Amino acid sequence: MTSIKDFIRTIPDFPHEGIMFRDVTTLFANPDSFRLAVDQTLQRLTDLKIDLVVGIEARGFILGGAIAYERSLGFVPIRKKGKLPSRTIEREYSLEYGNAVVEIHDDAIQAGDKVLLADDLLATGGTAEAAINLIERLGGDVIACSFIVDLPELGGRQRLEQLGMRVQTLCEFSGK
């Protein structure tokens, strides 16, 4: 049987030398592998009560949107600074190759909402930790973090688990 990993393209030295970029756009482009990724993610969520799915820009929108649709849930985007039209709160964070800022609308999540955080890839965990911070500042309860790819050598899973997060991934790649 074909695995999720078989549909993910690796691009060496992108966006910087020494980085092995794991490109999930090839997985999304194939209807069978996209369905497989969404179905496998949903199977891991059956025991969770979720009110909202939050996706991190940009590939987290694709996975998170599909999950939200399949579970008949709302979807909330976390975007790069300056991309959301209404009032926002923001969080700066470090990633593997620089710093960035993400934002969420200040009215996107209500106190007590049970939130699933979705993105394509877990590397250092910096982006996900920033997203968790934003969700929690609005009163949301992140009950799980879901990713397609884990890069375990970069320590993101451990970082999120130390925050008390439940982390699920569909596959792993070694290296950076």
Side-chain angles (χ1 to χ4, degrees), residues 5 8-13 18-23 96 121-123 148-155 169-176:
K5 201 170 179 176
I8 298 170
R9 172 174 47 195
T10 299
I11 302 172
D13 299 321
I19 302 291
M20 298 295 283
F21 188 83
R22 308 307 176 168
D23 180 15
E96 312 82 284
L121 185 133
L122 178 59
I148 296 171
V149 176
D150 183 13
L151 304 178
E153 292 172 30
L154 296 179
T169 60
L170 300 182
C171 66
E172 294 181 354
F173 285 91
S174 61
K176 297 180 179 180

Side-chain angles (χ1 to χ4, degrees), residues 44-116:
R44 291 166 168 83
L45 303 174
T46 57
D47 64 322
L48 299 177
K49 164 122 178 38
I50 301 167
D51 299 311
L52 284 172
V53 178
V54 173
I56 301 171
E57 187 169 346
R59 292 170 298 276
F61 295 174
I62 298 165
L63 179 64
I67 293 166
Y69 175 80
E70 288 291 329
R71 292 278 303 259
S72 298
L73 300 169
F75 176 82
V76 174
I78 289 185
R79 301 214 53 195
K80 295 172 185 164
K81 184 175 177 74
K83 300 291 185 179
L84 292 171
S86 191
R87 289 189 337 226
T88 62
I89 61 171
E90 66 181 46
R91 175 71 176 211
E92 184 174 359
Y93 66 99
S94 298
L95 37 76
E96 312 82 284
Y97 37 80
N99 291 327
V101 176
V102 288
E103 296 179 319
I104 189 170
H105 280 133
D106 67 2
D107 61 355
I109 294 172
Q110 304 305 308
D113 280 346
K114 306 255 182 265
V115 175
L116 171 71

Side-chain angles (χ1 to χ4, degrees), residues 12-33:
D13 299 321
F14 182 84
H16 300 287
E17 189 172 332
I19 302 291
M20 298 295 283
F21 188 83
R22 308 307 176 168
D23 180 15
V24 297
T25 63
T26 49
L27 178 138
F28 293 150
N30 179 293
D32 295 328
S33 62

